[in-house]
Amino acid sequence: MSALTTKLVRDLWRIRGQAVAIGLVIALGVLMQVMQSGLVVSLDETRRAYYERYRLADIFAPVTRAPEHTAQELRNLPGVSAVETRVVGQALVDLPELDIPIRAQAISLPDIKKARLNLIYLTDGRSFATNRQDEIIVLQSFAQAHGLQPGDRISATMNGARRDFDIVGLAMSPEFLFAAPPGEMIPDDSRFAVLWLSRPAMEAAYNLNGAFNEALISLSREADTPAILRAADQLLNKFGGLGAFPLEDLASDKFVSEEIDGLRRTSATVPPIFLAVAAFLLYIVISRLLDSEREEIGLMKAFGYTDWEVGSHYLKMILTIAGGGAFLGGILGIIAGRALIDVYLIYYKFPFLVFRLEPLSFVVGFGASILASSVGGLVVLLRVFALTPAVAMRAAPPPDYSRSGQIGKSLAAYLDQPTRMVLRRLTRQPIRMIGAIAGVSAGIALSASMASILASFDKMTDLTFDILDRSDVSVSFINPISSQSLFDIQSIDGVIETEPVRIVPVIFRNGRLSYRGAVNGLTEFPRLNRAVDAAERMIPMRKDGVILSSGLAKILDLHPGELLTVDVREGRRPILQLPVVAVSESLMGSPAYMELAALNRVLGEPGRVSGAFLRTDEKLQGWTYKQLKEMPMVAGVSLKSESRGAFQKVVDQGAGAMRYIMALIAGVITFGVIYNAARVAQAERTRDLAALRVLGFTRAEVAFVLLGELVVVTLLALPLGALAGYGLTFAVSQGFSTDLYQIPSHFNVRSFGQATVVVIVAALLSGWLVKRNVDRLDLVLALKSRE
């Protein structure tokens, strides 16, 4: 081992506390890079393989009723490789142990050996016999949620008629990676079922003998998707086409895609922040080390070591810390990725999902760590090159404090000696103090922003389920019905208040921009389900135009006063030109609103409703649900309490749990910044502190001289960190938001208070660790000149 290598090991051991703290910051950046890149690759590749193996369709073309021979016309379209038709319908599953019926989607399925598109993965049991119309296959996640197995019998209401079925198999499907009830955005295995039946059974149940109501289309690689969508719509329009849409508009695929895109964005933005902080800390530590080893550098050059040899010695120290942190981050990233894979399997129904390591993430993580650390190292090398042996071996010229002003001089007479020492250091080295304040402010800003994001998720839950939706139950009907039918619901014992709604599926268009969604027709002054503005004030429904949610307005790039094209996909399917009259706040989905009567008028269907929001008597809820279950017009019943519980589970245990990881990382970085600031101050003043002890200062007074500086820096950093955290909150909330849900930017006193607690705890812990080192100082060794 060479002399410089021996010195390198000795120096690393001497600054081991700072090296470990900096290495952990680097490790966190690499951890996020490796974990999130691996999750992106794992989800994306598994999804692609799953879609290909089970032949998920590229285009879905729903229609009211089309004769079977129309499928051949679709097959003749240029670029179409396969077409399969099926019958799809809504259903209600009745389980004896539940008061409310469970919403389900019933789908026809040909013989598994003959199926060409949208195959299922049979996990238990067998396929149904084509000549048995009472046998079904059930979605595995729903069956497991209710303890159902092959051989069990269930009842379901289809098209208003009640039927009994034998479960012969359980299955998974790439079409239902994200299983949520129709019209909802919250997955809940216990509240949504998929039932696969034979084609003859479905045709009989929904009166579609010799016809279909959905075509599945697979495309060749060179196909022009927009052209085929237009051609399919032209063919199916005369049969009540509801608008063909590509795979990326399928609700299940959209949820998975948003999750993958969110991980991809985070992996590209968060790790560089950590690495920049680590590079800044490394530069401070190494530059202070150079100042303290000035004479040693001169001696090494005097003994014949070249500038490159001496400079590379300190560069090796930087690279050792960075490389060690990157290696640790890579290992932790693999462990964290494998742990999160199990979480994703809960919410995305893949048959399997194995964490796949992305080699490029290691290369990027290690490369970025080394590059970020080397930036500060280059500055260090320049300083080493500039020192000649004669200059380096002389004591450094004392700093010039003549221009530091008289700050604090008037207070000197009222302060004791240790306090004056703290004040002098703060006023005579302003640049160094500003750097320390900036570092601690960055930690406060990061902690404050993450505390705000935690509060924003709670705010989103409260706004969605307490302010926007004040109902207890929502009911949907099989088809739009006369509003007079609501009197039947209002007359049920236990129903206190009823509010009608009409939800119309549409395609919103603004030039090239489009979005498949729905217009919600509400009463003029709704009470149970409302639209609100940014101040959470109720927005009355308008008869002269449509109100867009903020998320939808952003997607379509529309503002109040502009015209919106609304392509209605039910009934007569008119194409409407409606003015945008207001923008409302909405955190779940991207809805649009209009006054109910005005919506029915432009559709040419007066007095129609598709559902209702109910406020019920808690004591009579069981009876109320039982009566709703018996109504043939009811297609689904949803309890707000169950929806809220499912949503809370998703954000706490599912993908939303990533915010807790980010908050933990923010706390670690904050501690690393403060601890390094304290250790750097200790390293710079070790000799001075030892001298104070020899002069008779107590350990408490010596610690006060050192830690008083940390206290002042932390207190000055708090307001600056609050301002930076306020701005960072908006950036982070935008990063978490997607087209499907928006995280509000919610920075308040409580969030700043939580961040302040984190900073104070980090400062106290750092101060305790540093004080312990000061108390253990070997006075003789500290006062010796280092040779």
Side-chain angles (χ1 to χ4, degrees), residues 383-552:
R383 292 179 59 182
V384 171
F385 291 163
L387 286 174
T388 62
V391 173
M393 294 177 67
R394 290 200 303 264
D400 182 9
Y401 297 134
S402 61
R403 297 182 181 87
S404 63
Q406 301 299 315
I407 301 174
K409 187 174 181 180
S410 58
L411 298 175
Y414 304 99
L415 303 175
D416 58 17
Q417 194 170 16
T419 306
R420 291 200 299 272
M421 292 180 183
V422 174
L423 185 62
R424 278 199 302 269
R425 181 172 171 83
L426 292 171
T427 56
R428 292 178 176 180
Q429 296 179 326
I431 301 300
R432 186 169 295 180
M433 292 303 103
I434 290 174
I437 292 171
V440 178
S441 297
I444 295 172
L446 193 56
S447 294
S449 64
M450 292 315 304
S452 298
I453 291 299
L454 294 178
S456 296
F457 272 84
D458 294 334
K459 178 70 174 178
M460 179 176 67
T461 303
D462 293 339
L463 180 61
T464 302
F465 295 101
D466 291 335
I467 296 176
L468 297 178
D469 184 0
R470 301 195 296 182
S471 67
D472 298 317
V473 181
S474 61
V475 178
S476 59
F477 305 136
I478 296 175
N479 296 301
I481 62 176
S482 170
S483 57
Q484 299 297 319
S485 300
L486 291 181
F487 289 115
D488 295 336
I489 295 179
Q490 183 66 57
S491 64
I492 296 175
D493 290 339
V495 175
I496 300 173
E497 185 176 359
T498 303
E499 187 172 275
V501 62
R502 176 145 192 207
I503 301 176
V504 181
V506 302
I507 299 176
F508 299 104
R509 305 186 193 277
N510 179 33
R512 291 187 173 183
L513 301 175
S514 65
Y515 184 82
R516 180 176 290 270
V519 176
N520 298 332
L522 305 179
T523 58
E524 184 175 3
F525 297 100
R527 287 171 40 83
L528 300 184
N529 191 276
R530 313 177 302 161
V532 300
D533 58 19
E536 300 182 5
R537 296 185 298 257
M538 190 268 290
I539 300 176
M541 293 296 102
R542 300 279 292 271
K543 299 182 179 180
D544 54 344
V546 63
I547 300 171
L548 298 185
S549 63
S550 55
L552 183 57

Side-chain angles (χ1 to χ4, degrees), residues 1-8 10 295-314 316 384-385 387-389:
M1 185 180 293
S2 66
L4 286 182
T5 303
T6 303
K7 181 179 183 302
L8 174 63
R10 188 175 64 241
E295 295 181 6
E296 292 184 22
I297 293 174
L299 282 172
M300 286 189 287
K301 288 188 175 184
F303 278 112
Y305 288 101
T306 65
D307 288 340
W308 281 108
E309 288 174 324
V310 177
S312 64
H313 163 72
Y314 291 100
K316 287 178 183 177
V384 171
F385 291 163
L387 286 174
T388 62

Side-chain angles (χ1 to χ4, degrees), residues 61-76:
V63 64
T64 303
R65 181 191 181 98
E68 189 61 35
H69 65 77
T70 312
Q72 187 57 47
E73 298 180 56
L74 292 172
R75 292 188 185 97
N76 294 335

